[in-house]
Amino acid sequence: MKLQPILEYVHEKISALGRENNVLVDRDFFMGFYIDDGNIIAPRKLMVPLIQLLSTVGPKVGFHIKPTKGSYLMAKSLPETNALADKEELCELLHLSPSVVHVHPDDCPASAHEYGVKILGSYLGSDEYVKRMLASHLSELSQVADNLIEYPDLQGRMLLFRKCFLMKPVHLFRTMPPLLIADFIRGFDEIKMRILCSILGCTVGELSTTHLKIINLPLAKGGLGLRDLDDVAACSFIASMLQENFRSWRNGVDLLDLPSTLFQQLKELLVSLNLDPVMVFNLDSSFKARVHLQHQLQDIVDKNRFECLENLPMDETHKTHWKNHWSEDSAAWLTCIPKIPSFKMPPMTFRSALRYRLHIPASLHQAGIRCNCKSRKLLDPFGHHLATGCCKGGRKILTHDIVKYEVGNILRYCGKHIKIEESGVFHHTNSDDNKRPDITVFYPSGGVATRLLLDVCVPQPIVGAPGSALNKAFDAKQRKYRDSIALSGFSFLPLVVESTGMLHPRFSLFLKTLASSASEIRRIPAECLHKYFIRRLVFKLAGAIASNINERYFTVNSHSEQLDIGFHPSVILG
């Protein structure tokens, strides 16, 4: 804090000097410091005495200007002056190294690539300088990408990729017009796809145009939330420009009519994104809104991209699969942080789960192979039959049981007394009725029934509106138990979740009710509990579906069921 009074003194003195020399201080003079790093904008008649004054009073509090650090960007010289001579004079007058003083590109085009400075992580200067620095920064990001690709845990790699790596250039997008950083965007997009393909285990050529569009959509719309970089750059720059000029816009200045190149680029960006300027500017109506303006713009653009993709011709199977990922629930497993064993997924399982979500052929698929179950079906490339339709090896039952036991764990956490697959539930009304619901909840709250019976179902998506398979399976369960429930007086609820992770609304509401009932005792907000319950369920389901695809493909491809007993795990492990 000792430096602060010195800086205030210098600012006051130079402002007074500027007014004496008819300098518009509010417009042409800026002095900003963070600790001991400063950025100063001023005409030469103020800059020289400012640096001299800082060099005189600064050492009193330990502040010394280093002659070999920083950058001094000279303004364009007047016709009657010599820029190089001015540079020598400045270096001698201010005791600066020639390496930190840069002549304006109009006076020395050969040194245009050096005319610039890095400020707060962004670049300011000539186009040549900015592009050179962006290319260098892109090279550094490529090395970071190489390190990330070497990280063996695919789940962790995906989280670091989405949450950290893709955020790195956003500050550049906010401070530079997209036209200036177009080459950087292209290069970063290539790096982005290189990392994604390392996770998916494929090449960019194996991904269709539809895949490339879907992966950029938000998680709740069936994508991966990677977002189109051109859209991110445009939304970032628009938000930054509007926030910077918020007061001018509110005072009636039409920013889009200003002659500045930046405002003309702003106008072009709004047109390219099909955004109404009045609507966009009105989003910026309060301080709170301005803080989140970039997110608001991105949401609008995402919605437009989603609607365009929805109306494009697409393979019906792919479209059905994609539609049944249109929920936050189905993507919950992608948000899980592997801090606990319940949220950890082996690399091969994670890759298969991701490929299944995106409708990319399974990595173990071989054309022309038939399943060795009773159906002898020709295996589809995406593993749909193996995911939930194949009963061979008990994998279908195992998937069902994984969901069942996870629901049981949630019920116990919420203080419920339960029993798994209770036998003879309906014998008191019909001794021949041997149906066994998956879970019995004794003395459930919120009703007069002494028992709540729950039965789990995991259907495959079907052609139709999103969630059609959920409603069909829900109704089928209701019909199956209707008569038994009517006679017994118990309550009944089918728990239906698609293989995509989409929950039936009644299932989600049931979990929400459980979260509310447990919130006060557990002292955790109900909303947090509800989200956590869904993440656990969907994560377990995604892992089970991927394991089904991997293990069944492995068995079918190798006919390993015919192997000699000497390959049994007990023999191999001794």
Side-chain angles (χ1 to χ4, degrees):
M1 296 301 292
K2 290 183 178 180
L3 182 60
Q4 183 67 23
I6 296 295
L7 296 176
E8 292 175 353
Y9 169 77
V10 171
H11 188 277
E12 183 180 343
K13 286 290 185 181
I14 299 302
S15 296
L17 179 63
R19 286 187 287 271
E20 292 174 7
N21 287 273
N22 298 319
V23 175
L24 297 176
V25 176
D26 292 338
R27 188 192 69 179
D28 297 334
F29 174 51
F30 170 82
M31 178 177 167
F33 272 74
Y34 180 75
I35 315 296
D36 59 347
D37 289 329
N39 296 296
I40 303 167
I41 301 173
R44 179 170 174 173
K45 64 178 68 175
L46 298 185
M47 182 70 80
V48 171
L50 188 153
I51 295 176
Q52 290 174 331
L53 184 57
L54 264 181
S55 299
T56 302
V57 300
K60 295 178 181 179
V61 292
F63 179 79
H64 300 270
I65 296 178
K66 294 184 178 180
T68 58
K69 291 193 67 176
S71 293
Y72 186 121
L73 304 185
M74 294 175 59
K76 183 179 178 181
S77 295
L78 297 174
E80 64 273 14
T81 60
N82 184 292
L84 295 179
D86 286 347
K87 175 179 177 178
E88 291 181 7
E89 182 182 348
L90 276 174
C91 292
E92 183 177 350
L93 193 61
L94 301 176
H95 308 290
L96 297 176
S97 168
S99 63
V100 303
V101 180
H102 304 289
V103 177
H104 194 277
D106 288 352
D107 297 318
C108 184
S111 62
H113 65 285
E114 296 178 347
Y115 188 82
V117 62
K118 185 176 182 180
I119 302 177
L120 299 176
S122 190
Y123 304 102
L124 178 68
S126 66
D127 288 358
E128 293 85 352
Y129 169 82
V130 171
K131 290 180 179 180
R132 180 172 69 88
M133 297 308 294
L134 287 174
S136 176
H137 187 55
L138 191 65
S139 178
E140 294 175 3
L141 289 174
S142 182
Q143 293 177 11
V144 174
D146 291 338
N147 294 334
L148 185 56
I149 289 172
E150 291 178 3
Y151 188 62
D153 178 19
L154 296 186
Q155 184 185 3
R157 191 189 305 175
M158 187 65 175
L159 284 169
L160 290 171
F161 173 51
R162 287 182 54 242
K163 297 295 186 180
C164 302
F165 187 82
L166 290 180
M167 300 299 108
K168 285 182 175 293
V170 171
H171 70 288
L172 294 175
F173 295 158
R174 287 185 62 86
T175 53
M176 297 182 190
L179 290 179
L180 182 60
I181 57 175
D183 292 340
F184 176 85
I185 293 174
R186 299 284 79 74
F188 190 77
D189 191 60
E190 291 177 4
I191 296 174
K192 162 187 158 182
M193 292 309 302
R194 182 155 59 90
I195 298 174
L196 178 63
C197 288
S198 76
I199 298 171
L200 292 173
C202 66
T203 62
V204 178
E206 295 177 60
L207 302 176
S208 67
T209 304
T210 302
H211 285 129
L212 295 176
K213 291 180 178 179
I214 287 178
I215 62 174
N216 290 325
L217 293 176
L219 293 177
K221 293 301 181 183
L224 296 181
L226 304 187
R227 295 208 164 91
D228 184 276
L229 289 178
D230 287 314
D231 290 347
V232 175
C235 291
S236 302
F237 184 71
I238 292 172
S240 178
M241 288 287 288
L242 292 186
Q243 289 175 336
E244 179 63 26
N245 297 278
F246 175 69
R247 186 171 298 174
S248 298
W249 164 252
R250 287 303 171 203
N251 290 336
V253 178
D254 190 343
L255 301 178
L256 301 185
D257 283 344
L258 296 177
S260 168
T261 303
L262 289 179
F263 289 112
Q264 291 308 305
Q265 289 192 35
L266 174 64
K267 185 175 182 178
E268 293 172 5
L269 287 174
L270 291 171
V271 172
S272 68
L273 294 177
N274 197 27
L275 294 174
D276 176 27
V278 175
M279 180 273 295
V280 170
F281 292 162
N282 285 336
L283 289 174
D284 201 17
S285 58
S286 67
F287 177 75
K288 183 177 180 181
R290 287 191 290 132
V291 172
H292 301 287
L293 178 59
Q294 183 176 331
H295 293 159
Q296 294 181 60
L297 289 173
Q298 189 69 62
D299 289 342
I300 295 170
V301 172
D302 286 344
K303 182 180 179 182
N304 293 341
R305 298 296 185 204
F306 170 75
E307 291 174 352
C308 290
L309 184 57
E310 185 182 6
N311 296 324
L312 287 178
M314 191 186 304
D315 174 73
E316 193 62 37
T317 305
H318 190 179
K319 194 163 192 174
T320 298
H321 189 77
W322 174 47
K323 282 183 175 182
N324 284 276
H325 282 93
W326 291 358
S327 73
E328 292 184 2
D329 297 346
S330 66
W333 65 277
L334 282 169
T335 66
C336 294
I337 299 174
K339 297 189 296 184
I340 58 175
S342 298
F343 283 162
K344 291 182 179 179
M345 196 179 290
M348 190 173 179
T349 304
F350 184 84
R351 173 172 289 167
S352 292
L354 208 55
R355 293 176 77 109
Y356 179 76
R357 174 180 173 82
L358 296 175
H359 199 67
I360 298 173
S363 54
L364 295 176
H365 175 72
Q366 295 181 20
I369 297 292
R370 291 187 177 274
C371 187
N372 57 356
C373 66
K374 288 183 180 180
S375 69
R376 300 295 298 169
K377 289 186 67 172
L378 188 67
L379 291 178
D380 62 280
F382 311 101
H384 294 311
H385 171 69
L386 301 180
T388 56
C390 181
C391 297
K392 189 76 172 180
R395 298 298 309 184
K396 184 175 181 179
I397 296 174
L398 180 60
T399 301
H400 169 277
D401 287 350
I402 285 173
V403 175
K404 174 181 67 180
Y405 286 118
E406 195 56 48
V407 173
N409 289 335
I410 292 172
L411 286 164
R412 291 190 181 95
Y413 175 84
C414 294
K416 304 300 180 182
H417 177 204
I418 69 168
K419 190 169 184 178
I420 303 294
E421 294 190 4
E422 181 186 11
S423 59
V425 178
F426 303 112
H427 281 183
H428 66 291
T429 57
N430 183 354
S431 59
D432 294 328
D433 191 343
N434 294 316
K435 289 193 282 291
R436 289 197 303 173
D438 290 318
I439 302 173
T440 302
V441 183
F442 296 94
Y443 305 106
S445 57
V448 296
T450 57
R451 296 182 189 180
L452 170 62
L453 308 179
L454 307 171
D455 209 46
V456 172
C457 183
V458 186
Q460 186 77 11
I462 58 174
V463 176
S468 297
L470 292 174
N471 296 325
K472 183 177 179 180
F474 187 90
D475 293 341
K477 287 287 186 184
Q478 291 277 40
R479 288 193 300 270
K480 177 181 176 181
Y481 282 91
R482 182 181 297 128
D483 294 340
S484 301
I485 294 300
L487 291 173
S488 67
F490 299 150
S491 297
F492 176 71
L493 178 64
L495 301 181
V496 186
V497 53
E498 279 188 5
S499 60
T500 59
M502 181 182 284
L503 274 67
H504 190 278
R506 291 286 299 277
F507 193 175
S508 184
L509 180 61
F510 175 67
L511 293 175
K512 194 171 186 178
T513 303
L514 287 175
S516 297
S517 67
S519 175
E520 185 175 351
I521 301 298
R522 295 294 184 179
R523 298 182 181 179
I524 298 176
E527 185 180 357
C528 294
L529 283 177
H530 182 223
K531 290 181 178 180
Y532 181 72
F533 293 162
I534 289 177
R535 279 202 299 267
R536 282 190 65 103
L537 270 173
V538 176
F539 189 88
K540 292 282 187 179
L541 177 61
I545 295 296
S547 295
N548 290 351
I549 294 172
N550 287 342
E551 294 186 21
R552 290 293 297 124
Y553 261 128
F554 188 83
T555 302
V556 172
N557 290 342
S558 63
H559 302 286
S560 60
E561 293 172 340
Q562 304 173 14
L563 289 174
D564 184 278
I565 193 174
F567 282 95
H568 192 276
S570 62
V571 177
I572 296 174
L573 296 174

